[in-house]
Every structure is written in C-alpha cells, then in structure tokens.
Amino acid sequence: MHDIRAIRDNPAQFDADLARRSLPPLSAEVLALDERRRAAILAAETAQAAQNAAAKEVGAAKAKGDEAEFERLRALVADKKSEVAAMQAEAGRLDAELRDRLMLIPNAPLPEVPEGADEAGNVEVKRWGTIPSFGFKPLEHYQLSAVAKAMDFETAAKLSGARFVVLRAGVARVHRALAQFMLDLHVDTHGLTEAITPVLVRAEAMLGTGQLPKFAEDSYATTDGWWMIPTAEVTLTNFIANEIWDEAALPCRMTAHTNCFRSEAGSAGKDTAGMLRQHQFEKVEMVTICRPEDALAEHERMTGCAEAVLEALGLPYRRIVLCTGDMGFGSQKTYDLEVWLPGQNCFREISSVSTCGQFQARRMNGRYKPAAGGKPDFVATLNGSGLAVGRCLIAVLENGQQEDGSVTLPAVLHPYLGGKTRLVNGALV
C-alpha cells in the first residue's frame, strides 16, 4: 500500500509512477478523499474537546449546587455525545474508504525497471548453461514413455477435473526428491530457516500480501471464510503482520515447501496439455523480511539462491527483468527465471523473484525497531520461488530424455533416489 504522506508531498511523482504502469493519474482523487478524511477527523476531535470541556462544567455546576445550570449543561453534554459519535463514525468511514482505495493501487516500479506494456518489453540480463542438442526430435514431458502411466491425468480428471495430475511410482519419487533437494540446499547452503505453514489462511493474510481485494478470482475460498494460499509467500510474509521486530532479527530469511492453489482465472486454452499449468501444485518458496535499505541486495541474493537450484540440476536458464507492464501488483522490481524446455523448444518461467519494498509491510502493519533508536519503521519484504517443483520436474524430464524414451536424472538427485539414476517406463532404475 502506498504512503499517503508521500502522495501529499509529491503527487506528481505518484502519478508519474502510475503512468509507467499505464495507469491514469490518481493523485487528485486520492488527495481529495484524504482531505475530506482529515477534515472529518479534525471536526470529530474538536467536538470531542468541546464535549470534554462541557463535562467539566457539569461537575462544577453540581458542586455549586446550581441545579438549573447543572441540568442545562448535562443536556448539552448529551447532545454533544451523539454529535461526536456521528462525527467519529463519518471519520472512520472516510478513513476506511481511503484505505480501500489505496489497497487497489499497484506498487511503484523502481527507476531501473524497463518500460514496456507487456512481456514483449521484458529484458534478458543473464543466460546460463548450454541448450542441449538431441539427435532426435525431443518430446514434451507427458509424451515420454519414461513417465507412462506414472503421470496420470485421466485418474486426476475423474477425481478433480481438468488441470490436475496424479503422480505415481518413480515419477512421484523424483518430484519428492526435487522438493527435498531444494529445501536442503536453501537451508544448508543458503542459510534460510525452514518453516511448515498452513495452506488455509484468513482473508487478512491475503490482503496483507496483495492477493485481496483485487485478485480474489485468482484464488480459492472456502465456505467458512478461509482462503487457500496461492504460494507460501502469503504465510511467511505475514509472520511480521501487526508486529514490531528488533532490528537485530533482520534480515529474516525463510523457506517453506507447500501445496499451492490457483484458479488460473483468465488462462482458458493456455497450456492445457501436460502439467505445466495446474490448479494445485507444489512450490518451495523463499521470503526475506529486512530493512528497506537492504532490499536490493537481498533481491540479488535471493535470485542467486533460485539460480543455484537450476545450476545444480544442470538445467539451462535465463534471467529476465520484467518491464513495468508485466510485473506483479505488489512488486517494485521482479526477476523471472526461465528454464529451457526442449519439448516446447523455448524458455518457460520457473521462478519469479520480487522485491516489494515497504508496500506489503504497510498493508499488514509490519515494522521493526531501529537499533539506534527512533520510531519503528516499516520493513521491506521480498519473495521468490525456489523453485516451482512441478515445473522443475518437467524440465528435468525433458532435458534428460533419451532417444529410447527413458530419462537420465541429475546426479544431485541420486542420493535422494536410493542411488537410482534413470526413469524407465515410470520406474526408477
């Protein structure tokens, strides 16, 4: 959420930031609402002060034994009380209206973020690995004989409908091994603290990270008010909600492996074959909570953690910096990592790493107490995939495929697979 004081101080900059996101100027509308809110608060406070003064006079009249004056002042106080209540209610209504309006306005992109209307404006900044050359036409993951019935879309459709999959036997174990490997790498090498979090959260948690109110249709809600998380970003980031941490606790770097749920609203017809785009999937998420001045360095560090997973698996990838028209609602700057998929003959997103500045912290009232003293300030928050497990499975299968339909698996996974090195007809060998 934006800082209303910053909008008051520099409305032109606020509108310029929105223009980079192809949005119209909003400062005049926001500031007019803010002015009405501040006037209502002042009126309520003035009336409250008058009520308090009259209440003191009631006591004085009673002490003097002036019954007529006592009754007159008591009636005046009663009238003031209802007047103050009405004014306070109006101030509260306008305060909520301003907050709701600010909740719908996306974060301001950092100056170095490239301009662009959509993904065509994204800029490649790094490439790693060699794109494999096959002596045959490479297949997509779901076409490989190595997965056979171990990647079962028919049973999943019977159970749940489209965009679900059942993994069995060797394929299920490789999927599990990937998640375990990612967690071990992040905890043992990258120094992240592992957490196991709920996948059902209150609406306030979704509001804090920006999924609500604007993107409600992209997520699932239960009939009794819980929301199913689209990523552990929601749970991990909300650790700081309505709290004040000591500066010594920062940076707080965390990781969690969870199921994730997305309705994929608006994606009809996209990636319907295979398991690239599912309603339920698993992800190893990374979240950092830090001082605002450390956020950019943390962004580079976190992106490097995600890249380390791909490099250990030997998967070619590229790093993209998203342009202003393609970055997420709460992001100041985002790197996407795209892994090479031979079956599609292209790079596809496997991780998105974003720095949000104080945007999310302001929504959830997450602050820290500076060690040098002074009033608490909002923390900065960052989040990133480290990685999407299902998409990583796809990349491992497609890049390791052999002409006979089997798959050679990355060496770093062998210890997690009981020493097995290949997938053949759905089984590990």
Side-chain angles (χ1 to χ4, degrees):
M1 190 169 69
H2 290 273
D3 182 357
I4 187 61
R5 292 170 299 181
I7 301 174
R8 289 186 209 129
D9 292 343
N10 199 340
Q13 183 61 57
F14 175 71
D15 287 338
D17 291 337
L18 294 183
R20 298 187 69 210
R21 281 187 174 265
S22 300
L23 292 173
L26 296 176
S27 64
E29 170 196 334
V30 170
L31 291 177
L33 177 57
D34 178 50
E35 186 61 34
R36 298 205 319 272
R37 177 187 71 97
R38 295 168 75 188
I41 292 172
L42 178 60
E45 290 174 345
T46 301
Q48 179 72 66
Q51 178 189 337
N52 293 341
K56 290 181 180 178
E57 293 179 10
V58 169
K62 183 71 171 176
K64 291 179 181 178
D66 190 340
E67 196 64 27
E69 181 67 2
F70 169 74
E71 291 298 335
R72 185 187 73 80
L73 288 171
R74 188 169 68 169
L76 176 63
V77 169
D79 290 343
K80 284 287 184 183
K81 187 174 182 179
S82 60
E83 179 186 350
V84 167
M87 287 183 171
Q88 289 175 337
E90 176 64 5
R93 185 190 69 79
L94 289 171
D95 190 61
E97 184 178 342
L98 177 62
R99 179 176 174 82
D100 290 347
R101 186 68 189 94
L102 290 174
M103 284 282 186
L104 294 171
I105 302 172
N107 204 352
L110 292 175
E112 65 263 31
V113 174
E115 298 276 351
D118 51 36
E119 62 182 15
N122 297 341
V123 177
E124 181 179 329
V125 293
K126 176 183 177 182
R127 189 173 289 212
W128 183 92
T130 301
I131 292 176
S133 177
F134 297 90
F136 57 93
K137 178 176 173 53
L139 301 177
E140 294 197 56
H141 59 286
Y142 59 91
Q143 299 171 322
L144 295 168
S145 65
V147 305
K149 287 296 184 179
M151 187 177 287
D152 187 350
F153 298 100
E154 292 180 3
T155 299
K158 179 175 69 174
L159 295 172
S160 306
R163 296 189 189 271
F164 291 92
V165 66
V166 170
L167 301 180
R168 293 194 180 112
V171 175
R173 186 163 182 183
V174 173
H175 186 274
R176 173 162 56 92
L178 282 166
Q180 187 66 59
F181 163 68
M182 293 175 196
L183 285 172
D184 287 349
L185 182 65
H186 292 321
V187 172
D188 297 337
T189 303
H190 300 148
L192 279 63
T193 299
E194 183 178 359
I196 297 176
T197 74
V199 295
L200 291 171
V201 295
R202 300 177 187 273
E204 302 95 278
M206 297 281 280
L207 187 75
T209 46
Q211 281 76 23
L212 294 180
K214 191 167 185 176
F215 303 104
E217 67 172 5
D218 294 326
S219 298
Y220 293 108
T222 68
T223 55
D224 48 3
W226 281 316
W227 289 79
M228 303 176 77
I229 62 168
T231 162
E233 169 200 347
V234 176
T235 47
L236 295 175
T237 309
N238 271 280
F239 282 9
I240 188 67
N242 297 312
E243 293 196 10
I244 302 175
W245 289 2
D246 289 335
E247 184 178 338
L250 305 178
C252 176
R253 299 164 176 156
M254 298 173 284
T255 186
H257 170 220
T258 65
N259 274 291
C260 305
F261 305 89
R262 295 184 186 175
S263 70
E264 295 292 348
S267 66
K270 295 180 181 178
D271 302 316
T272 55
M275 58 177 292
L276 195 66
R277 194 183 295 272
Q278 302 275 284
H279 291 308
Q280 176 184 330
F281 57 96
E282 294 180 31
K283 189 147 69 99
V284 173
E285 184 74 359
M286 303 178 293
V287 162
T288 293
I289 298 169
C290 66
R291 301 182 309 168
E293 58 265 38
D294 298 330
L296 282 180
E298 284 292 321
H299 190 218
E300 297 296 327
R301 184 205 60 80
M302 184 181 284
T303 305
C305 291
E307 291 174 338
V309 177
L310 293 169
E311 291 173 13
L313 293 167
L315 298 174
Y317 69 88
R318 63 178 183 171
R319 184 197 291 196
I320 304 293
V321 58
L322 298 192
C323 69
T324 53
D326 198 35
M327 62 196 295
F329 176 83
S331 174
Q332 286 185 322
K333 181 180 180 181
T334 297
Y335 288 129
D336 270 8
L337 301 182
E338 297 180 347
V339 69
W340 178 254
L341 297 184
Q344 294 193 8
N345 195 39
C346 67
F347 288 99
R348 295 299 300 264
E349 179 196 339
I350 196 168
S351 174
S352 190
V353 185
S354 299
T355 176
C356 301
Q358 297 174 302
F359 187 82
Q360 291 178 325
R362 192 171 284 110
R363 295 170 75 94
M364 63 180 67
N365 192 31
R367 295 174 291 166
Y368 77 101
K369 186 187 303 180
K375 62 188 296 187
D377 192 13
F378 292 106
V379 297
T381 62
L382 302 93
N383 62 82
S385 309
L387 306 160
V389 182
R391 290 199 172 192
C392 200
L393 173 66
I394 292 171
V396 164
L397 293 174
E398 293 194 10
N399 282 276
Q401 65 182 289
Q402 306 299 308
E403 190 168 10
D404 63 0
S406 66
V407 172
T408 299
L409 299 167
V412 292
L413 296 184
H414 297 173
Y416 296 92
L417 302 172
K420 305 295 178 61
T421 64
R422 297 168 63 233
L423 264 176
V424 179
N425 294 326
L428 286 167
V429 296

